[in-house]
Amino acid sequence: MSEGEFSVIEFYDNGTHAYVARELDAKSAVELAKACIDTALVIGGVVNQIVITDGGGFTAVQWERGKGIVFTERS
C-alpha cells in the first residue's frame, strides 16, 4: 500500500478489530469511515473506535465512542 492509500479499521468491545476496507483513496476512506461511525452510533456498544490509517501505518483520523473525533499529533 502506498502513502496515498488509506484503510478503515473498526475496533470492537471484545478487543478485536477488523479492516472494513483497504487501499482506498482519501475521499472514499473518509466517506466509509463516516458511514461506519453513523452505524456505530446507531448500534451503540459494539464498536469502540474507528480509524483511518495511511499507507505508512499512521493514524490519519480516529473516532472513539463517547469522545467523537480525536486529534492526535504525529511524532
Side-chain angles (χ1 to χ4, degrees):
M1 187 160 43
S2 72
E3 286 287 327
E5 296 175 341
F6 299 87
S7 296
V8 177
I9 310 162
E10 290 185 328
F11 293 82
Y12 306 108
D13 282 346
N14 66 5
T16 63
H17 69 278
Y19 282 82
V20 180
R22 296 178 189 209
E23 299 183 14
L24 299 171
D25 61 70
K27 182 179 182 210
S28 297
V30 169
E31 289 172 351
L32 179 57
K34 181 175 180 336
C36 291
I37 290 167
D38 291 345
T39 301
L41 291 172
V42 171
I43 294 172
V46 177
V47 177
N48 286 321
Q49 191 178 103
I50 297 168
V51 300
I52 299 174
T53 59
D54 67 14
F58 293 101
T59 298
V61 175
Q62 178 177 330
W63 171 87
E64 292 182 19
R65 184 175 8 128
K67 293 183 180 179
I69 299 292
V70 178
F71 295 94
T72 57
E73 290 186 32
R74 195 184 274 192
S75 52

